[in-house]
Amino acid sequence: MTALHLRPASRADPLPVLAAAHRITDDLRDGLSGTRARRAAHRLRRLFGFPGLGLTDLSGSLLWSGRPGPDAVVAKVLDGVLHTEEPGSAPDVLVLPLHVHDELAGALLVVGDVRDAVAGQAADLVVRALERGRLEASAEQAAQAELRALRAEMSPHFVYNALTVIASLVRSDPDRARDLMLDFADYTRYSLARHGEYTVVAEEFRAIETYLALQRAVLGERLRVQVRVAPEILAVAVPYLVLEPLVENAIRHGIEPRSGTGHVQVHGQAEGNDCVIFVEDDGVGMDPERAADILAGRVGEDDAAGLGLANVDRRLRDVYGAWYGLTVETEVGAGTRVIVRVPRFQPGVLP
């Protein structure tokens, strides 16, 4: 791929050129057949000053801006380029293939007396825009796949134990059995139902309280819990399913492996413009170096606890930026404290 060197109309003011290139990139976010591809063609032609410019995907259907080339000539040259994946030309017509990640995605057509190098710069800009669009689409698909995996990830061991406890109470304490069954129904609804990408802190805390009620029924006196949340953060929008996995981690990998009674505390509060939530247990803890490796993404595929923390941290940083996410305070035998920090208001993050 050739380097991109756009020549601004005024050497003293390159900002309009950069702004135009940015808008073209944004218009091609959905590819050469997207709803804004024709707008990209208009902007690209004006940016480079071509008499005529066309864009096409592999279908060969052209989007023209400015003066179109002769139909018969254009069709012949374009057909050759799409089949050979090599540049083609005819008098007053130049067709360049567009390769995105080494795969042919379409072609750029330039009409008029235009130097090959300038047309190549235009093609390079289009390729870069298409590559960015594909990367963003891939990232979004990966995030959605990860969210679907979180929704589907329900511990069979926990489900079995919860239902066993409920069944044992049906005769001896039917009212409690009924309440626990409703809690179990709420838990599965929230974990598996189709939600949007974001929810609010209130819903996340409700899911936490339901999960803890079921775990207390399973673990009995081995588990003590405390949940406290400040009213001013209840409406804060957060990514769906970012708190429950932290509480589940605290119980499964902090409390269950230890003997005796364990405590889990979940507190949420406002700190200036931030929403801060603490998930703390007095369980077995971990080596601080391991916690650092987890947040740095150095996690093995068989490390369930590490993957849970790493996934939540990555999702938060993807949404809010590097200043936000998780902080883990821990020592072997001294429990673990996970701190979630997100902004109370973030443009574009709506439940």
Side-chain angles (χ1 to χ4, degrees):
M1 182 184 298
T2 58
L4 179 62
H5 302 288
L6 295 180
R7 294 185 177 180
S10 170
R11 291 183 181 274
D13 187 14
L15 293 181
V17 175
L18 296 176
H22 177 77
R23 286 192 291 267
I24 291 167
T25 298
D26 194 52
D27 286 340
L28 290 174
R29 185 186 303 270
D30 297 325
L32 294 168
S33 58
T35 56
R36 295 190 294 176
R38 187 180 299 277
R39 185 188 304 172
H42 291 318
R43 285 177 170 157
L44 195 64
R45 181 182 63 82
R46 289 195 295 267
L47 177 62
F48 284 89
F50 297 145
L53 180 142
L55 288 174
T56 180
D57 57 13
L58 295 179
S59 70
S61 177
L62 279 164
L63 297 175
W64 279 109
S65 175
R67 174 163 64 88
D71 290 343
V73 174
V74 167
K76 182 178 180 180
V77 178
L78 177 60
D79 184 67
V81 170
L82 293 180
H83 280 84
T84 65
E85 302 188 21
E86 297 291 337
S89 64
D92 230 23
V93 175
L94 175 63
V95 183
L96 299 176
L98 301 172
H99 289 97
V100 179
H101 299 143
D102 296 326
E103 292 184 359
L104 183 66
L108 169 76
L109 295 86
V110 178
V111 176
D113 184 14
V114 177
R115 288 184 298 152
D116 290 0
V118 178
Q121 289 182 10
D124 190 55
L125 175 56
V126 174
V127 167
R128 288 173 183 266
L130 295 175
E131 287 177 343
R132 176 180 171 182
R134 286 195 183 183
L135 286 174
E136 290 179 352
S138 296
E140 183 176 350
Q141 290 168 4
Q144 291 298 323
E146 184 175 318
L147 183 55
R148 287 194 297 270
L150 282 171
R151 287 170 172 163
E153 187 180 291
M154 187 181 296
S155 168
H157 180 69
F158 165 69
V159 171
Y160 175 81
N161 286 342
L163 291 177
T164 298
V165 168
I166 293 171
S168 70
L169 294 171
V170 168
R171 291 189 177 181
S172 61
D173 193 344
D175 289 339
R176 189 177 180 215
R178 178 180 178 277
D179 289 341
L180 289 174
M181 182 58 73
L182 292 175
D183 285 338
F184 186 78
D186 283 344
Y187 173 71
T188 54
R189 175 195 61 81
Y190 192 75
S191 297
L192 301 179
R194 292 182 178 273
H195 292 262
E197 188 175 354
Y198 302 107
T199 183
V200 293
V201 167
E203 287 296 314
E204 287 283 288
F205 265 82
R206 180 181 177 186
I208 287 171
E209 291 177 331
T210 301
Y211 175 76
L212 288 172
L214 292 166
Q215 282 288 20
R216 290 183 66 189
V218 171
L219 297 175
E221 294 300 317
R222 287 193 57 205
L223 177 63
R224 300 289 177 85
V225 301
Q226 182 184 58
V227 179
R228 187 172 69 246
V229 57
E232 58 264 29
I233 69 167
L234 290 175
V236 172
V238 293
Y240 175 73
L241 271 182
V242 293
L243 299 184
E244 192 272 345
L246 303 180
V247 177
E248 185 174 348
N249 251 13
I251 295 175
R252 291 177 61 186
H253 305 289
I255 301 303
E256 287 187 355
R258 61 162 287 175
S259 59
T261 301
H263 296 77
V264 173
Q265 300 180 67
V266 187
H267 298 160
Q269 63 192 45
E271 291 187 4
N273 292 325
D274 291 346
C275 166
V276 183
I277 298 167
F278 305 88
V279 179
E280 188 170 359
D281 68 77
D282 60 356
V284 298
M286 71 177 84
D287 188 319
E289 290 187 4
R290 177 169 179 259
D293 285 340
I294 288 172
L295 296 186
R298 297 186 290 270
V299 187
E301 293 185 359
D302 58 344
D303 185 352
L307 283 173
L309 290 174
N311 286 344
V312 171
D313 183 59
R314 183 174 63 253
R315 291 175 63 209
L316 290 174
R317 293 182 190 277
D318 285 346
V319 172
Y320 301 111
W323 292 107
Y324 297 96
L326 301 184
T327 302
V328 179
E329 301 172 353
T330 186
E331 289 283 351
V332 175
T336 300
R337 188 187 202 200
V338 179
I339 305 169
V340 182
R341 182 177 295 273
V342 300
R344 292 173 66 185
F345 307 99
Q346 176 81 356
V349 178
L350 299 171

